[in-house]
Amino acid sequence: MSSQWMETVAEAQRRAKKRLPPSVYSALLAGSERGTSYDDNLSAFGELGLAPHVAGLSQQRDLATTVMGQHLSMPVIISPTGVQAVHPEGEVAVARAAAARGVPMGLSSFASKAVEEVTAVNSQVLYQSYWMGTREAMARRFDRARKAGCVGLIATLDWSFSYGRDWGSPAIPEKLDLKAMASFAPEVLRRPRWLYDFARSGKLPDLTTPNLVDPGEESAAPTFFGAYGEWAQTAPPSWDDIAWMVQEWGGPFMLKGICRVDDARAAVDAGVTAVSVSNHGGNNIDGTPAPIRVLPSIVDAVGDQIEVVMDGGVRRGSDVVKAVALGARAVMIGRAYLWGLAANGQPGVENVLDVLRGGIDSAMLGLGHSSVQDLRPTDVLVPDGFTRTLGVPARS
Ligand SMILES: Cc1cc2nc3c(=O)[nH]c(=O)nc-3n(C[C@H](O)[C@H](O)[C@H](O)COP(=O)(O)O)c2cc1C
């Protein structure tokens, strides 16, 4: 096995940390305020147990499923992430890896690569949008994504513009020009391989957002911070606005960021195809419980009407199995593939997906199932007091 092979996501994270300038690494780590949600997303999976059999196991395991009409070779989707200065090929490398491994890819509207470049190498791209700008501007962006061949829309609504982390936030420049690079020189020079990759590609890390303008207008695309400003100044959406988004897109639609039962029901009424139970990887208001804790209540409330996926804290195949057993149709992964991308580009993302596949397969073997469709809550040991239910009146 090549020395580049990473046997776990934790190893990919260690390599990413070694390779990336500290500010870039810390921008990926993210989290907000005290970091309670970030920590809970990870530790909650560790609280869940599994109950393996030792005989009567299945030699064949089928990991395939579908979400939003797309075939998944395993119940994993690339969650959209908007951090670009990780690798010169950025989202295109991720898209190639996802296509090679048969999983769909969410593409952030804050991505650094044009959507057309990404759909050229992956036919299962789900375009992600925030509620930002005017309806007209959003409709034009949806139109561009649709024409580029995106097969679904992910509307991400769980963001509260909370600033400040107790462990400090990285300084990210408005634009990575030579002047900004010079001010980063000391930390960048400590990471020569990261610099070398960009030097070889002939480009500086790109902090613009080409998908927020019409095709061909990319030179006028806002910087990441310009886009963030437009988003922050947009009045938050109503449920009618969300129903408008669903109509305007006119195809498979996921609302990402649900953690309350009442919101899940309202999402059904707005006409969505799917929801992702999520707290934005611990980046929304701190104190939001881990999605795996609220997943069963959401599945219970709306799982027979729409598809329910979850994201947050997935780092191994057994995490995927636990989520599917508790009712998720699939999970979405964020940092896990970002670590792979940062560590080793496209092969690094493929490596992470292979680690997850191997882990799902061995958990399925131990649990005695031949298909992910057969996973049930009884496969998981859920300790008392583990689950949370948000958004229903407390019983008196
Ligand atoms: C660095 C970073 C950037 C992100 N950018 C976006 C984004 O642009 N759009 C979005 O919908 N979610 C974004 N997310 C959230 C992810 O899609 C996903 O919800 C989260 O990473 C899942 O948690 P995990 O990292 O523990 O897997 C981002 C997350 C991280 C860590």
Side-chain angles (χ1 to χ4, degrees):
M1 210 160 272
S2 107
S3 63
Q4 296 270 34
W5 170 255
M6 302 174 285
E7 66 180 291
T8 57
V9 172
E11 175 59 18
Q13 180 169 357
R14 274 193 292 277
R15 296 228 195 139
K17 187 173 186 186
K18 255 167 109 179
R19 198 174 173 117
L20 292 174
S23 315
V24 179
Y25 177 77
S26 136
L28 297 193
L29 204 58
S32 76
E33 299 189 31
R34 202 187 261 125
T36 310
S37 296
Y38 174 84
D39 291 341
D40 194 36
N41 286 2
L42 293 169
S43 60
F45 276 111
E47 290 173 33
L48 294 172
L50 291 168
H53 292 284
V54 291
L57 308 179
S58 176
Q59 195 174 9
Q60 307 292 331
R61 270 97 48 200
D62 179 8
L63 310 190
T65 190
T66 59
V67 172
M68 295 166 78
Q70 295 301 309
H71 180 266
L72 281 60
S73 68
M74 61 177 164
V76 173
I77 297 173
I78 297 287
S79 207
T81 61
V83 168
Q84 302 110 26
V86 174
H87 188 275
E89 288 168 9
E91 295 82 2
V92 173
V94 175
R96 285 207 177 96
R101 294 301 184 263
V103 299
M105 170 180 176
L107 177 71
S108 172
S109 49
F110 280 22
S112 66
K113 302 284 182 197
V115 57
E116 295 80 9
E117 268 187 81
V118 176
T119 50
V121 298
N122 187 317
S123 60
Q124 293 189 295
V125 177
L126 309 165
Y127 182 72
Q128 177 267 324
S129 176
Y130 294 110
W131 179 260
M132 61 179 277
T134 60
R135 281 189 177 194
E136 196 213 337
M138 279 183 261
R140 286 162 75 117
R141 290 164 185 162
F142 294 177
D143 201 38
R144 176 171 176 181
R146 203 183 294 112
K147 284 196 178 118
C150 290
V151 294
L153 190 88
I154 300 176
T156 303
L157 300 176
D158 59 340
W159 190 262
S160 312
F161 303 98
S162 135
Y163 303 101
R165 305 175 173 112
D166 290 354
W167 54 98
S169 295
I172 300 176
E174 168 79 15
K175 207 168 181 254
L176 265 184
D177 52 14
L178 286 174
K179 191 166 151 242
M181 283 300 262
S183 76
F184 275 93
E187 59 164 305
V188 169
L189 291 176
R190 277 164 46 213
R191 295 292 187 270
R193 291 194 57 194
W194 180 80
L195 187 62
Y196 173 70
D197 280 347
F198 277 98
R200 231 176 19 170
S201 77
K203 289 187 195 138
L204 289 172
D206 193 350
L207 294 183
T208 57
T209 51
N211 298 309
L212 296 179
V213 291
D214 288 336
E217 310 267 303
E218 281 85 356
S219 59
T223 62
F224 187 87
F225 287 98
Y228 195 84
E230 178 186 343
W231 178 23
Q233 281 155 30
T234 306
S238 64
W239 284 107
D240 283 345
D241 290 327
I242 294 160
W244 172 84
M245 274 179 128
V246 173
Q247 289 289 320
E248 182 62 37
W249 174 254
F253 186 105
M254 177 191 291
L255 200 168
K256 175 168 174 281
I258 292 286
C259 54
R260 299 174 54 114
V261 168
D262 48 2
D263 278 7
R265 293 201 177 109
V268 171
D269 293 342
V272 309
T273 322
V275 290
S276 189
V277 180
S278 172
N279 59 20
H280 213 112
N283 297 322
N284 194 15
I285 33 175
D286 197 29
T288 313
I292 190 69
R293 294 189 194 279
V294 295
L295 173 72
S297 63
I298 307 282
V299 171
D300 212 34
V302 299
D304 56 346
Q305 298 167 77
I306 54 169
E307 296 176 347
V308 179
V309 307
M310 65 80 59
D311 68 83
V314 174
R315 299 291 184 274
R316 53 192 84 244
S318 58
D319 295 344
V320 180
V321 164
K322 288 169 181 174
V324 173
L326 294 182
R329 212 170 159 91
V331 304
M332 304 212 291
I333 55 166
R335 293 178 186 83
Y337 79 84
L338 287 173
W339 304 140
L341 177 69
N344 195 22
Q346 179 188 339
V349 178
E350 290 171 357
N351 184 153
V352 162
L353 291 171
D354 291 343
V355 164
L356 294 181
R357 185 185 307 278
I360 298 171
D361 192 58
S362 45
M364 294 273 297
L365 171 63
L367 292 169
H369 289 308
S370 57
S371 162
V372 286
Q373 313 299 335
D374 298 335
L375 288 163
R376 293 288 175 273
T378 46
D379 291 314
V380 183
L381 176 71
V382 182
D384 285 348
F386 176 84
T387 56
R388 307 274 186 276
T389 302
L390 307 179
V392 290
R395 287 202 194 102
S396 51

